PDB file of all heavy atoms in Angstrom:
ATOM      1  N   VAL S 133     -12.699  13.108 -26.815  1.00 87.00           N
ATOM      2  CA  VAL S 133     -11.392  13.335 -27.442  1.00 87.00           C
ATOM      3  C   VAL S 133     -11.567  14.215 -28.674  1.00 87.00           C
ATOM      4  O   VAL S 133     -12.641  14.276 -29.270  1.00 87.00           O
ATOM      5  CB  VAL S 133     -10.713  12.005 -27.855  1.00 87.00           C
ATOM      6  CG1 VAL S 133     -10.463  11.126 -26.643  1.00 87.00           C
ATOM      7  CG2 VAL S 133     -11.544  11.269 -28.892  1.00 87.00           C
ATOM      8  N   THR S 134     -10.495  14.900 -29.026  1.00 84.00           N
ATOM      9  CA  THR S 134     -10.533  15.702 -30.237  1.00 84.00           C
ATOM     10  C   THR S 134     -10.388  14.774 -31.425  1.00 84.00           C
ATOM     11  O   THR S 134      -9.759  13.717 -31.324  1.00 84.00           O
ATOM     12  CB  THR S 134      -9.363  16.693 -30.255  1.00 84.00           C
ATOM     13  OG1 THR S 134      -8.155  15.948 -30.082  1.00 84.00           O
ATOM     14  CG2 THR S 134      -9.498  17.696 -29.148  1.00 84.00           C
ATOM     15  N   SER S 135     -10.985  15.135 -32.556  1.00 73.00           N
ATOM     16  CA  SER S 135     -10.882  14.268 -33.718  1.00 73.00           C
ATOM     17  C   SER S 135      -9.427  14.222 -34.157  1.00 73.00           C
ATOM     18  O   SER S 135      -8.706  15.208 -34.106  1.00 73.00           O
ATOM     19  CB  SER S 135     -11.772  14.771 -34.837  1.00 73.00           C
ATOM     20  OG  SER S 135     -11.387  16.078 -35.179  1.00 73.00           O
ATOM     21  N   ALA S 136      -9.014  13.052 -34.547  1.00 63.00           N
ATOM     22  CA  ALA S 136      -7.624  12.881 -34.949  1.00 63.00           C
ATOM     23  C   ALA S 136      -7.585  11.881 -36.081  1.00 63.00           C
ATOM     24  O   ALA S 136      -8.453  11.013 -36.173  1.00 63.00           O
ATOM     25  CB  ALA S 136      -6.805  12.362 -33.785  1.00 63.00           C
ATOM     26  N   ASP S 137      -6.595  12.024 -36.963  1.00 62.00           N
ATOM     27  CA  ASP S 137      -6.559  11.101 -38.084  1.00 62.00           C
ATOM     28  C   ASP S 137      -6.040   9.719 -37.684  1.00 62.00           C
ATOM     29  O   ASP S 137      -6.412   8.712 -38.246  1.00 62.00           O
ATOM     30  CB  ASP S 137      -5.738  11.677 -39.251  1.00 62.00           C
ATOM     31  CG  ASP S 137      -4.628  12.588 -38.751  1.00 62.00           C
ATOM     32  OD1 ASP S 137      -4.528  12.772 -37.518  1.00 62.00           O
ATOM     33  OD2 ASP S 137      -3.868  13.108 -39.572  1.00 62.00           O
ATOM     34  N   THR S 138      -5.204   9.651 -36.690  1.00 61.00           N
ATOM     35  CA  THR S 138      -4.750   8.330 -36.253  1.00 61.00           C
ATOM     36  C   THR S 138      -4.981   8.203 -34.751  1.00 61.00           C
ATOM     37  O   THR S 138      -5.032   9.185 -34.022  1.00 61.00           O
ATOM     38  CB  THR S 138      -3.236   8.129 -36.507  1.00 61.00           C
ATOM     39  OG1 THR S 138      -2.535   9.062 -35.673  1.00 61.00           O
ATOM     40  CG2 THR S 138      -2.869   8.338 -37.951  1.00 61.00           C
ATOM     41  N   ALA S 139      -5.104   6.941 -34.335  1.00 58.00           N
ATOM     42  CA  ALA S 139      -5.363   6.678 -32.920  1.00 58.00           C
ATOM     43  C   ALA S 139      -4.246   7.262 -32.051  1.00 58.00           C
ATOM     44  O   ALA S 139      -4.473   7.680 -30.923  1.00 58.00           O
ATOM     45  CB  ALA S 139      -5.498   5.183 -32.682  1.00 58.00           C
ATOM     46  N   ALA S 140      -3.027   7.311 -32.629  1.00 61.00           N
ATOM     47  CA  ALA S 140      -1.890   7.795 -31.837  1.00 61.00           C
ATOM     48  C   ALA S 140      -2.004   9.282 -31.521  1.00 61.00           C
ATOM     49  O   ALA S 140      -1.386   9.773 -30.583  1.00 61.00           O
ATOM     50  CB  ALA S 140      -0.594   7.507 -32.580  1.00 61.00           C
ATOM     51  N   ASN S 141      -2.807  10.000 -32.344  1.00 66.00           N
ATOM     52  CA  ASN S 141      -2.910  11.452 -32.139  1.00 66.00           C
ATOM     53  C   ASN S 141      -4.074  11.880 -31.265  1.00 66.00           C
ATOM     54  O   ASN S 141      -4.342  13.060 -31.110  1.00 66.00           O
ATOM     55  CB  ASN S 141      -3.089  12.155 -33.490  1.00 66.00           C
ATOM     56  CG  ASN S 141      -1.828  12.061 -34.312  1.00 66.00           C
ATOM     57  OD1 ASN S 141      -0.755  11.848 -33.753  1.00 66.00           O
ATOM     58  ND2 ASN S 141      -1.967  12.173 -35.614  1.00 66.00           N
ATOM     59  N   ILE S 142      -4.774  10.924 -30.748  1.00 71.00           N
ATOM     60  CA  ILE S 142      -5.964  11.256 -29.975  1.00 71.00           C
ATOM     61  C   ILE S 142      -5.611  12.044 -28.718  1.00 71.00           C
ATOM     62  O   ILE S 142      -4.667  11.713 -28.010  1.00 71.00           O
ATOM     63  CB  ILE S 142      -6.716   9.953 -29.609  1.00 71.00           C
ATOM     64  CG1 ILE S 142      -7.493   9.494 -30.831  1.00 71.00           C
ATOM     65  CG2 ILE S 142      -7.621  10.154 -28.422  1.00 71.00           C
ATOM     66  CD1 ILE S 142      -8.293   8.263 -30.608  1.00 71.00           C
ATOM     67  N   GLU S 143      -6.370  13.109 -28.505  1.00 80.00           N
ATOM     68  CA  GLU S 143      -6.150  13.897 -27.287  1.00 80.00           C
ATOM     69  C   GLU S 143      -7.471  14.147 -26.589  1.00 80.00           C
ATOM     70  O   GLU S 143      -8.498  14.348 -27.226  1.00 80.00           O
ATOM     71  CB  GLU S 143      -5.521  15.248 -27.644  1.00 80.00           C
ATOM     72  CG  GLU S 143      -4.021  15.191 -27.682  1.00 80.00           C
ATOM     73  CD  GLU S 143      -3.416  16.559 -27.943  1.00 80.00           C
ATOM     74  OE1 GLU S 143      -4.113  17.572 -27.715  1.00 80.00           O
ATOM     75  OE2 GLU S 143      -2.265  16.592 -28.380  1.00 80.00           O
ATOM     76  N   LEU S 144      -7.426  14.174 -25.287  1.00 84.00           N
ATOM     77  CA  LEU S 144      -8.629  14.486 -24.521  1.00 84.00           C
ATOM     78  C   LEU S 144      -9.047  15.929 -24.766  1.00 84.00           C
ATOM     79  O   LEU S 144      -8.193  16.804 -24.897  1.00 84.00           O
ATOM     80  CB  LEU S 144      -8.321  14.383 -23.030  1.00 84.00           C
ATOM     81  CG  LEU S 144      -8.374  13.047 -22.327  1.00 84.00           C
ATOM     82  CD1 LEU S 144      -8.180  13.276 -20.840  1.00 84.00           C
ATOM     83  CD2 LEU S 144      -9.698  12.358 -22.578  1.00 84.00           C
ATOM     84  N   THR S 145     -10.355  16.170 -24.795  1.00 88.00           N
ATOM     85  CA  THR S 145     -10.793  17.560 -24.834  1.00 88.00           C
ATOM     86  C   THR S 145     -10.651  18.141 -23.424  1.00 88.00           C
ATOM     87  O   THR S 145     -10.744  17.412 -22.432  1.00 88.00           O
ATOM     88  CB  THR S 145     -12.272  17.672 -25.258  1.00 88.00           C
ATOM     89  OG1 THR S 145     -13.060  16.944 -24.311  1.00 88.00           O
ATOM     90  CG2 THR S 145     -12.501  17.108 -26.648  1.00 88.00           C
ATOM     91  N   ASP S 146     -10.428  19.450 -23.354  1.00 87.00           N
ATOM     92  CA  ASP S 146     -10.250  20.088 -22.043  1.00 87.00           C
ATOM     93  C   ASP S 146     -11.483  19.918 -21.167  1.00 87.00           C
ATOM     94  O   ASP S 146     -11.384  19.660 -19.972  1.00 87.00           O
ATOM     95  CB  ASP S 146      -9.950  21.588 -22.209  1.00 87.00           C
ATOM     96  CG  ASP S 146      -8.589  21.803 -22.838  1.00 87.00           C
ATOM     97  OD1 ASP S 146      -7.791  20.834 -22.851  1.00 87.00           O
ATOM     98  OD2 ASP S 146      -8.323  22.914 -23.333  1.00 87.00           O
ATOM     99  N   SER S 147     -12.669  20.060 -21.813  1.00 91.00           N
ATOM    100  CA  SER S 147     -13.894  19.991 -21.010  1.00 91.00           C
ATOM    101  C   SER S 147     -14.068  18.593 -20.412  1.00 91.00           C
ATOM    102  O   SER S 147     -14.458  18.441 -19.256  1.00 91.00           O
ATOM    103  CB  SER S 147     -15.111  20.379 -21.850  1.00 91.00           C
ATOM    104  OG  SER S 147     -15.255  19.479 -22.922  1.00 91.00           O
ATOM    105  N   PHE S 148     -13.744  17.571 -21.219  1.00 91.00           N
ATOM    106  CA  PHE S 148     -13.897  16.211 -20.694  1.00 91.00           C
ATOM    107  C   PHE S 148     -12.885  15.963 -19.583  1.00 91.00           C
ATOM    108  O   PHE S 148     -13.207  15.383 -18.535  1.00 91.00           O
ATOM    109  CB  PHE S 148     -13.736  15.158 -21.796  1.00 91.00           C
ATOM    110  CG  PHE S 148     -14.208  13.792 -21.371  1.00 91.00           C
ATOM    111  CD1 PHE S 148     -15.497  13.373 -21.631  1.00 91.00           C
ATOM    112  CD2 PHE S 148     -13.356  12.936 -20.669  1.00 91.00           C
ATOM    113  CE1 PHE S 148     -15.943  12.125 -21.209  1.00 91.00           C
ATOM    114  CE2 PHE S 148     -13.796  11.690 -20.243  1.00 91.00           C
ATOM    115  CZ  PHE S 148     -15.094  11.280 -20.515  1.00 91.00           C
ATOM    116  N   ALA S 149     -11.641  16.411 -19.811  1.00 87.00           N
ATOM    117  CA  ALA S 149     -10.587  16.192 -18.815  1.00 87.00           C
ATOM    118  C   ALA S 149     -10.988  16.791 -17.467  1.00 87.00           C
ATOM    119  O   ALA S 149     -10.810  16.174 -16.411  1.00 87.00           O
ATOM    120  CB  ALA S 149      -9.273  16.785 -19.300  1.00 87.00           C
ATOM    121  N   GLU S 150     -11.588  17.985 -17.543  1.00 88.00           N
ATOM    122  CA  GLU S 150     -11.980  18.662 -16.306  1.00 88.00           C
ATOM    123  C   GLU S 150     -13.127  17.920 -15.604  1.00 88.00           C
ATOM    124  O   GLU S 150     -13.085  17.659 -14.398  1.00 88.00           O
ATOM    125  CB  GLU S 150     -12.409  20.085 -16.651  1.00 88.00           C
ATOM    126  CG  GLU S 150     -12.388  21.026 -15.472  1.00 88.00           C
ATOM    127  CD  GLU S 150     -12.570  22.459 -15.966  1.00 88.00           C
ATOM    128  OE1 GLU S 150     -11.791  22.887 -16.850  1.00 88.00           O
ATOM    129  OE2 GLU S 150     -13.506  23.115 -15.494  1.00 88.00           O
ATOM    130  N   ALA S 151     -14.136  17.550 -16.411  1.00 92.00           N
ATOM    131  CA  ALA S 151     -15.285  16.828 -15.847  1.00 92.00           C
ATOM    132  C   ALA S 151     -14.821  15.483 -15.266  1.00 92.00           C
ATOM    133  O   ALA S 151     -15.307  15.033 -14.219  1.00 92.00           O
ATOM    134  CB  ALA S 151     -16.335  16.603 -16.927  1.00 92.00           C
ATOM    135  N   TRP S 152     -13.870  14.863 -15.945  1.00 90.00           N
ATOM    136  CA  TRP S 152     -13.355  13.555 -15.542  1.00 90.00           C
ATOM    137  C   TRP S 152     -12.690  13.651 -14.168  1.00 90.00           C
ATOM    138  O   TRP S 152     -12.965  12.881 -13.260  1.00 90.00           O
ATOM    139  CB  TRP S 152     -12.365  13.066 -16.599  1.00 90.00           C
ATOM    140  CG  TRP S 152     -11.933  11.636 -16.465  1.00 90.00           C
ATOM    141  CD1 TRP S 152     -12.328  10.731 -15.515  1.00 90.00           C
ATOM    142  CD2 TRP S 152     -11.028  10.952 -17.321  1.00 90.00           C
ATOM    143  NE1 TRP S 152     -11.711   9.530 -15.732  1.00 90.00           N
ATOM    144  CE2 TRP S 152     -10.908   9.630 -16.828  1.00 90.00           C
ATOM    145  CE3 TRP S 152     -10.307  11.312 -18.459  1.00 90.00           C
ATOM    146  CZ2 TRP S 152     -10.089   8.678 -17.447  1.00 90.00           C
ATOM    147  CZ3 TRP S 152      -9.490  10.363 -19.063  1.00 90.00           C
ATOM    148  CH2 TRP S 152      -9.386   9.064 -18.575  1.00 90.00           C
TER     149      TRP S 152
END
Side-chain angles (χ1 to χ4, degrees):
V133 299
T134 55
S135 59
D137 31 359
T138 65
N141 291 338
I142 282 181
E143 271 184 20
L144 276 186
T145 59
D146 292 344
S147 62
F148 194 93
E150 200 169 306
W152 191 0

